[in-house]
Amino acid sequence: MSNEIVLTGIKPTGKVHLGNYIGAIKPALQIAGTSDCTSLYFIADYHGLTFIQDRDEFNTLSYSIAATWLALGLDPDRVIFYRQSDVPEIFELSWILSCLTSKGLMNRAHAYKSIHDKNEQLGLDSDTGVNMGLYTYPILMAADILLFQSDKVPVGKDQIQHVEIARDIAEGFNRIYGDTFKLPDYIVDEKTAVIPGLDGRKMSKSYNNTIPLFEPAEHLKKLINKIKTDSTPPQAPKNPDTSNIYLLYKEFATPAQVQDFRNKYLNGISWGDAKQELFQVVNAYLEEPRKKYNKLMVAPVQIDDILNEGARKARAIAAPLLKKVKLKIGRYN
Ligand code: ADP
Ligand code: TRP
């Protein structure tokens, strides 16, 4: 194993959808599958708490994210897979870092800034609906990243700024106390940066246009049938490269199936038939993971065992570094 550390967190704020899978989970699993790095994947449940304040929903969503990753093939023996709130060292570091972080840096962080600016436009108090967790969200994320000396952080485009903030915070600490934290880099997969949803906009929980990953087959079919298409007549040749159905198909089919599907587009296939074929490949691909997911969700004890073991491994890395940090700031004992 090389010393390269790859780390990413997943916020449990809603049902996982095809966009999350293609844009974030699939590439991260590919990285985890390569043996020349140490991978840490965690459920960022306390980040989720900034949005989800219903206790049952919070609990279920955290398990659901964990079950999703396990069902899709994350091997907890090869990666360190844990729940953020099981690693108290992260929160202690987060406080230390917050004392070294300027408020102005947080004012510029995009999640806070967009709510702030919207409030101003609406003539509301600029901090309406902003809790302190949301405001300092990037500091907790910096602690997540820095505490494990992460080299690479695979994220979606929207998280690039947060990784840059983590880097700034690390530099600030190193400047005052001497070289301590590694400076992390983000990894963004440009190809799959934006998977379109049912209405053609980016697939997102916020737009209510998603195809959740583990819906029962019948519902999956219904949703796929809702994908927006144009009015090209059924027999007319169609351009696969501008089709959202084709784009999704490519992610779930074998190369031979993709070639075959491409030819059908060029020779003319009705949108109804194209959707039917998309359903077939997506459903076949997700059938086994869906069974595994449902099995895990009715026996969350199994998930707990895995996450507890992961937290043990994570803390074994986190505790010595936190100790070093405490020494540097003047906690000598
Ligand atoms: P949502 O937009 O549904 O709230 P999140 O912001 O929770 O999704 O995103 C979780 C991860 O999935 C991030 O890494 C994000 O970049 C990725 N992701 C979300 N939507 C898409 C999409 N439509 N296409 C590609 N990746 C996506
Ligand atoms: N903020 C990330 C998101 O919304 C989740 C996250 C929390 C994260 N901590 C992290 C991602 C550390 C990468 C590294 O998707």
Side-chain angles (χ1 to χ4, degrees), residues 7-9 11 42 44 47 137 141 144-145 153 155 159:
L7 170 142
T8 198
K11 193 177 52 182
F42 67 97
H47 275 113
Y137 188 107
M141 185 156 158
D144 289 331
I145 295 171
V153 184
V155 283
Q159 297 299 313

Side-chain angles (χ1 to χ4, degrees), residues 185-204:
D185 285 313
Y186 56 81
I187 307 181
V188 173
D189 188 340
E190 284 297 334
K191 286 197 303 297
T192 51
V194 181
I195 298 297
L198 297 177
D199 55 0
R201 291 189 291 170
K202 172 188 183 261
M203 187 178 291
S204 171

